[in-house]
Amino acid sequence: MGWDEHVQVFVDKYPGIGGGIFGHDGTCWHQIGTNITKEEATKIFGGFGTTSLQASGPKIGGAKYFCTYADEEVIRGKKGPLSFVATKTPQCLLIGASVTEDCTA
């Protein structure tokens, strides 16, 4: 199963969700329903274990989010009714984001 199938399974299970898999350098391996740039993914990856995102706010697809939680493993953010969660693995960065206000996740 390729990266696109992994992301599509998640998106199919939770309507209103988008997301992607990125390398630690921000390179997009695959994403669906979001327009996360390499720069945005790199900034989120650099925010694990720091307060940098709480001060500046991460961006997802050009929209600035308020960072509600960040530690060494998980980052969460919110923008009105929309939200996102990011986690890192030894190989990649995973980002899931609500892309509609009627998200069911």
Side-chain angles (χ1 to χ4, degrees), residues 1-104:
M1 182 182 290
W3 293 122
D4 54 338
E5 288 93 0
H6 286 290
V7 176
Q8 190 64 52
V9 166
F10 179 73
V11 171
D12 288 345
K13 185 174 180 179
Y14 301 105
I17 291 289
I21 302 172
F22 301 84
H24 287 180
D25 64 353
T27 301
C28 179
W29 295 358
H30 189 76
Q31 65 178 312
I32 295 176
T34 57
N35 291 315
I36 302 167
T37 67
K38 181 176 183 174
E39 292 77 20
E40 291 169 344
T42 301
K43 184 173 181 179
I44 290 170
F45 185 78
F48 288 99
T50 73
T51 59
S52 64
L53 293 179
Q54 292 168 330
S56 63
K59 289 187 177 181
I60 300 287
K64 188 174 180 177
Y65 284 69
F66 176 71
C67 182
T68 59
Y69 181 84
D71 67 17
E72 288 83 21
E73 298 176 7
V74 175
I75 296 172
R76 294 184 192 107
K78 192 157 180 59
K79 178 179 173 50
L82 305 178
S83 61
F84 84 93
V85 63
T87 188
K88 66 178 179 175
T89 73
Q91 293 83 26
C92 65
L93 170 65
L94 305 170
I95 301 173
S98 58
V99 294
T100 65
E101 292 183 16
D102 59 341
C103 173
T104 60

